[in-house]
Amino acid sequence: MYDTIIIGAGPAGMTAALYAARSNLKVATLEQGAPGGQMNNTADIENYPGYDMISGPELSMKMFEPLEKLGVENLYGIVSKIEEDGPIKKVITDDQVYEAKTVILATGAKHRHLGVPGEETYSSRGVSYCAVCDGAFFRDQELLVVGGGDSAVEEALFLTQFAKKVTIVHRRDELRAQKVLQERAFAHDKIDFIWDSVVKEIKGDDNKVTSVDFENLKTGQISNQAFGGVFVYVGLDPVSSMVEDLGITDDDGWVPTDDHMRTSLSGLFAVGDVRQKDLRQITTAVGDGATAAQEAYHYIVDHF
Ligand code: FAD
Ligand code: NAP
């Protein structure tokens, strides 16, 4: 029996584990991949206090390393369900059932897909959701980045080191991304924009992407342009299917909490990107993690 099981070892989950272990709780993280979460797919992080710049994988390792020293058990598993059994929570993976007094859900978010013809067909054959993972395969090619948020603009800038040219297509005529990223993109001679337009279809030959059809939302005009790769950054969906049956999410799957990271189910906390909130960043994820661990400690003292 664990005092707390933390599902997901991104920045939110790893910080929750750090604070819970330092409160002398018996803690395990359950993670389906490498520790770090979305940070593992981020080249340069420039807005984490204390560092001018640090790579995502390096920051992941810096957050992970202290956990083992503090006695956190880092377990592998894909969590499919959480159940209540009286005051105890059961955390269910493919081949194990773990029991805990409290659970902290830190499962984050994943890239949303466009849902247009050709996207699934050419996935991993020119369509990508991770510039850091795949960018180097597209040397000297014309690349398309879809979206207007931080991810789209930051990853377009990252791709300029490999690509001949990077075009950003956005459905409006104004970017959502932070101003500092916008300014860098506007000033970059390898970056072009297609405004007020959406991708209608991704086309290719048998093997790979060759071109993209666009619709201009103001004029209705359809056009086609050649590209060797398409990087999709149109936002995030929550990873919360394991709590679907518990009725703790909003209609879109995000998990509402109070200021203490308490969900509507007693003893279950939610932190980081999976939470219903305005600003999804590493800094806000780690803050959530610290708060939830502290609250889990108080919950255990009061209830067990
Ligand atoms: P995540 O990082 O998503 O981690 C969730 C973890 O849960 C993952 O490791 C996942 O494997 C695990 N998990 C999910 N489901 C299960 C399951 N069923 N069973 C077991 N484990 C599971 N933020 C910044 O502050 N600065 C930046 O420069 C920055 N750049 C970014 C660049 C990109 C391209 C992206 C996509 C995001 C960026 N962000 C940045 C946002 C930041 O990465 C996220 O806000 C942050 O990682 C959220 O942390 P998290 O711990 O909540 O979730
Ligand atoms: P986001 O902020 O939600 O932006 C998604 C973008 O995609 C928006 O510009 C949106 O257009 C567009 N879009 C949504 N659906 C679309 C569709 N079907 N077709 C075409 N365009 C579509 O998502 P994100 O950029 O992935 O960022 C996610 C979170 O991570 C944010 O909180 C962000 O701040 C954070 N992040 C931070 C950094 C950093 O700090 N450096 C870097 C990356 C990400 P509209 O603008 O019209 O809505």
Side-chain angles (χ1 to χ4, degrees), residues 44 46-47 148-158 168 175-188 191 193 281:
D44 297 328
E46 295 181 42
N47 54 3
D150 284 340
S151 294
V153 177
E154 195 167 73
E155 301 314 307
L157 286 160
F158 176 80
I168 297 176
L175 296 172
R176 178 183 292 279
Q178 300 163 48
K179 291 290 175 220
V180 63
L181 295 174
Q182 293 195 26
E183 282 164 15
R184 273 184 220 164
F186 290 142
H188 204 293
I191 296 185
F193 292 87
Q281 295 273 286

Side-chain angles (χ1 to χ4, degrees), residues 38 47 111-114 146-152 154-155 169-172 174-176 178 181 197-198 233-236 273 278-281:
Q38 294 171 62
N47 54 3
H111 290 301
R112 189 177 295 151
H113 288 204
L114 283 169
V146 190
D150 284 340
S151 294
E154 195 167 73
E155 301 314 307
V169 59
H170 184 35
R171 63 184 178 184
R172 294 186 289 130
E174 197 184 353
L175 296 172
R176 178 183 292 279
Q178 300 163 48
L181 295 174
S197 298
V198 291
Y233 287 106
V234 292
L236 302 169
D273 276 13
D278 288 336
L279 186 61
R280 293 194 170 84
Q281 295 273 286

Side-chain angles (χ1 to χ4, degrees), residues 6-14 30-48 54 75-81 92-93 105-111 129-132 150-152 154-155 178 181 233 236 239-242 271-275 277 279-286 288:
I6 297 158
I7 308 173
M14 289 195 284
L30 254 173
E31 168 59 58
Q32 65 187 359
Q38 294 171 62
M39 293 193 298
N40 284 322
N41 299 333
T42 305
D44 297 328
I45 294 163
E46 295 181 42
N47 54 3
Y48 192 74
I54 183 165
L75 307 170
Y76 169 80
I78 302 172
V79 174
S80 53
K81 212 168 180 184
I92 300 164
T93 68
L105 187 72
T107 43
K110 62 176 185 323
H111 290 301
Y129 305 86
C130 180
V132 175
D150 284 340
S151 294
E154 195 167 73
E155 301 314 307
Q178 300 163 48
L181 295 174
Y233 287 106
L236 302 169
V239 180
S240 59
S241 58
M242 67 293 290
V271 294
D273 276 13
V274 73
R275 201 161 77 78
K277 64 177 183 179
L279 186 61
R280 293 194 170 84
Q281 295 273 286
I282 299 163
T283 47
T284 59
V286 301
D288 290 358

